[in-house]
Amino acid sequence: MCGIIARIGENGAVDELMTGLRNLEYRGYDSAGIAVANEHGIEVRKREGETDALHALLSESPIDGPIGIGHTRWSTHGRPSDANAHPHTDDDGRVAVVHNGIIRNHDRLRNELVARGHEFESETDTEVVPHLVAASLDEGLDPEDAFRAAIERLEGSYAIAMIAEGYDAVYAARSGSPLVIGLDDDATYLASDVPAFLEFTEQVVYLEDDDVVVITDDGYRVTDLDGAALDRSSEVVDWAAGDAQKGAYNHFMRKEIDEQPVALRQAIEGRIDDDDRVDLSVFPNGELAEIDDVVFVACGTSYHAAMYGSRLLRRRGIRSTVARANEFAYDPLPVDEGTLIVAVTQSGETADTLASLRAAVGTDARTLAVTNVVGSTAAREADETLFIRAGPEIGVAATKTFSSQVAALALLAERIADEQEAVPLPVADGGLDRSQLLADLRRLPDAIESVVASDDALRLAERYRDADSYFFIGRGVGYPVALEGALKFKEITYDHAEGFAAGQLKHGPLALVTSNTVVIATFTGRNDEQTIHNVQEAKSRGAPVIGIGPESSTAAREAVDEYLSVPDVVPELAGVLANAHLQLLAYHAAELRDRAIDKPRNLAKSVTVE
């Protein structure tokens, strides 16, 4: 959840630390702080609130030094406050620490340290770390060995960075939370995510669980928990610095909605050959022929993309189920050697999804990560990885990654079907027209560009801004789109929004429908007549209905009060286009309410704690 940045090199560190914190604010914005090492020792500045509050504090009380660490917090232990903000220090201010994760045995460690005379100033789990280090320093250990001794005492998940008085180094370790090194000629960086330092360098080193790193002016040294040297080579990320900046946009979310045509092109490019065969180089030919069923595990928006992908597989005659990752890890489905477990996670660091992935270890099932981040934990731990190629996504509300995930899963479904020579239902019986699907998949970027450019949702956001509730309904692939539309709406507007399978409306939710409940119905071109019946049930209770569906669907258009059209594509892909309208509807509704669109309350982008 939280964001870590560290920097060591020539000149002052504060400006670059602040840039890193601003770039990481999507990971947490309850409080922020930095600590630098200089001739005076270690100086700390931290403040409750967003990074602007910290910037104001630094203007009033400046500090400087060539070595520093910074942190932007998403609260887990202790309310947002100046005292609970990171960095945390020991009693004498000899070391300063920033931390992402949860230290599960912090109560026991705190009690032990208090009994030894240590005084604590915060409610956080993190503060035990500098005190543990200080206790080892008192026993004569140097900072690196003291840091290792502290790490060995911790239970839970963590990414930790530390500086020590009188030492020109940053000490760090990770277990269950991401850390990546950035290499430049004049400085070396450490962060929770690449966008933190992307405008300074594109040369990165991804750290793995149980890595301990020491960063100095001379570079970096990585060892395991026992001190044995590890080889962690560098690579160049293919993201440009501008990809992680808003540019002329007011919000990252709107920028990333508009980037969907490019993201989809990148997701599809080079993966469909001239003979209409799907080429996913991650799988050698024939490797998927023996897969009997596919089990998706995911959370949030990725869960909705997984639901969408599961329906595409079932259309191709392949058994598929979807499980919420935060349940699968503790209540797993039966799997065997014919099972492919697909972990869908934008960041590749989602704690619940990683737990589900690890639950498959020791079984005969194969695992596949569908993720956006090269070098992520999911990419390293799964047997295979399918990258969605969406580029960096900064807005907390996922947009372009959902579209790219669905496109990647559509390609996966076709690849599995090809290898198994699966026989879909006849088109007349609701089956799949494969050649048309691939043709429409190729033109999906242009189709979604036309939806985004039209932006007809603004007028409807204004018209229905005073509604009490917003119900999203859909059938088939329209159902996960309804869930995703409701999720986007509630997380950035803070208004009540729910998603339902269209047929579920009359099994309870209809009792909540009034003339001040807006119903948003997704039509895909398949089974629309049943969805129209559900729309009529809502309208008969006085609810205004917005329809989103194919341009040519006269029946759907006539059944609703307002209609947002999408280009005609096969039903399997119509949901991706409808979802762009729903993203814009949520965006404009939030803007009209003056919400913090990129940083909605209580939420963070990367959920790295369970």
Side-chain angles (χ1 to χ4, degrees), residues 256-405:
E256 289 155 2
I257 289 172
D258 286 358
E259 287 175 344
Q260 286 178 106
V262 173
L264 281 168
R265 287 188 185 96
Q266 292 170 170
I268 298 165
E269 186 176 14
R271 288 172 164 172
I272 306 174
D273 65 22
D274 293 337
D275 297 321
D276 272 358
R277 290 187 60 83
V278 173
D279 179 15
L280 300 179
S281 56
V282 63
F283 296 113
N285 286 333
E287 196 164 316
L288 297 173
E290 302 305 317
I291 295 298
D292 296 322
D293 65 300
V294 178
V295 176
F296 290 95
V297 291
C299 295
T301 288
S302 295
Y303 177 77
H304 301 152
M307 290 179 66
Y308 202 126
S310 179
R311 280 158 172 76
L312 295 179
L313 279 163
R314 297 203 297 264
R315 287 278 171 198
R316 299 296 275 123
I318 298 159
R319 288 205 306 269
S320 177
T321 54
V322 189
R324 294 188 184 276
N326 38 28
E327 293 293 327
F328 180 89
Y330 308 104
D331 187 19
L333 300 172
V335 299
D336 57 28
E337 67 277 1
T339 304
L340 177 66
I341 296 177
V342 181
V344 187
T345 161
Q346 185 280 135
S347 67
E349 304 292 349
T350 309
D352 304 299
T353 307
L354 291 175
S356 292
L357 198 57
R358 289 162 183 160
V361 175
T363 73
D364 293 326
R366 294 181 54 198
T367 58
L368 169 71
V370 177
T371 184
N372 194 36
V373 182
V374 176
S376 62
T377 302
R380 291 195 305 271
E381 294 191 5
D383 296 328
E384 311 287 354
T385 304
L386 178 60
F387 293 106
I388 67 171
R389 304 172 178 172
E393 185 177 68
I394 307 301
V396 168
T399 51
K400 64 178 180 177
T401 52
F402 175 84
S403 303
S404 296
Q405 285 171 336

Side-chain angles (χ1 to χ4, degrees), residues 67-317:
I67 305 168
I69 55 178
H71 188 269
T72 180
R73 182 172 184 247
W74 190 88
S75 305
T76 55
H77 290 78
R79 61 186 176 84
S81 69
D82 290 352
N84 289 333
H86 298 213
H88 292 289
T89 64
D90 65 301
D91 291 332
D92 299 321
R94 289 173 292 172
V95 298
V97 167
V98 291
H99 163 237
N100 179 21
I102 293 179
I103 299 170
R104 301 198 183 281
N105 61 335
H106 71 99
D107 280 337
R108 185 171 73 250
L109 293 172
R110 180 186 286 252
N111 292 336
E112 172 190 318
L113 289 159
V114 169
R116 294 169 63 178
H118 291 258
E119 296 183 3
F120 284 73
E121 298 183 354
S122 79
E123 306 166 279
T124 69
D125 55 338
T126 302
E127 197 180 355
V128 301
V129 180
H131 288 281
L132 286 171
V133 173
S136 293
L137 291 175
D138 291 339
E139 295 172 1
L141 273 63
D142 65 24
E144 181 177 349
D145 288 338
F147 181 71
R148 289 180 181 280
I151 295 301
E152 289 175 358
R153 299 289 310 279
L154 305 183
E155 298 172 7
S157 65
Y158 56 78
I160 298 175
M162 181 189 87
I163 55 175
E165 181 180 8
Y167 289 82
D168 295 337
V170 175
Y171 308 89
R174 66 156 286 177
S175 178
S177 290
L179 278 177
V180 58
I181 299 170
L183 304 174
D184 192 29
D185 293 337
D186 299 327
T188 304
Y189 306 89
L190 180 82
S192 299
D193 205 352
V194 171
F197 52 68
L198 191 55
E199 57 201 88
F200 306 127
T201 180
E202 299 172 357
Q203 193 80 18
V204 304
V205 179
Y206 293 101
L207 298 177
E208 300 184 16
D209 276 354
D210 299 328
D211 282 359
V212 179
V213 61
V214 180
I215 300 172
T216 65
D217 285 334
D218 297 327
Y220 66 98
R221 172 169 51 86
V222 184
T223 59
D224 64 17
L225 293 173
D226 296 323
L230 297 171
D231 179 20
R232 297 285 183 259
S233 58
S234 64
E235 58 187 271
V236 176
V237 296
D238 59 358
W239 296 349
D243 292 343
Q245 297 171 357
K246 281 188 290 193
Y249 286 89
N250 292 328
H251 302 97
F252 277 110
M253 182 180 178
R254 182 56 204 256
K255 176 176 181 277
E256 289 155 2
I257 289 172
D258 286 358
E259 287 175 344
Q260 286 178 106
V262 173
L264 281 168
R265 287 188 185 96
Q266 292 170 170
I268 298 165
E269 186 176 14
R271 288 172 164 172
I272 306 174
D273 65 22
D274 293 337
D275 297 321
D276 272 358
R277 290 187 60 83
V278 173
D279 179 15
L280 300 179
S281 56
V282 63
F283 296 113
N285 286 333
E287 196 164 316
L288 297 173
E290 302 305 317
I291 295 298
D292 296 322
D293 65 300
V294 178
V295 176
F296 290 95
V297 291
C299 295
T301 288
S302 295
Y303 177 77
H304 301 152
M307 290 179 66
Y308 202 126
S310 179
R311 280 158 172 76
L312 295 179
L313 279 163
R314 297 203 297 264
R315 287 278 171 198
R316 299 296 275 123

Side-chain angles (χ1 to χ4, degrees), residues 249 254 257-258 260-261 445-462 547-549 551 557 563-567 576-585 587-588:
Y249 286 89
R254 182 56 204 256
I257 289 172
D258 286 358
Q260 286 178 106
D446 291 334
I448 206 166
E449 187 168 22
S450 70
V451 173
V452 172
S454 70
D455 201 359
D456 295 329
L458 173 59
R459 175 179 58 84
L460 299 183
E462 291 173 335
I548 304 175
E551 198 167 34
R557 188 186 300 270
Y563 194 74
L564 300 176
S565 66
V566 301
V576 179
L577 302 180
N579 186 63
H581 275 308
L582 295 179
Q583 292 169 350
L584 288 165
L585 182 65
Y587 174 81
H588 290 305

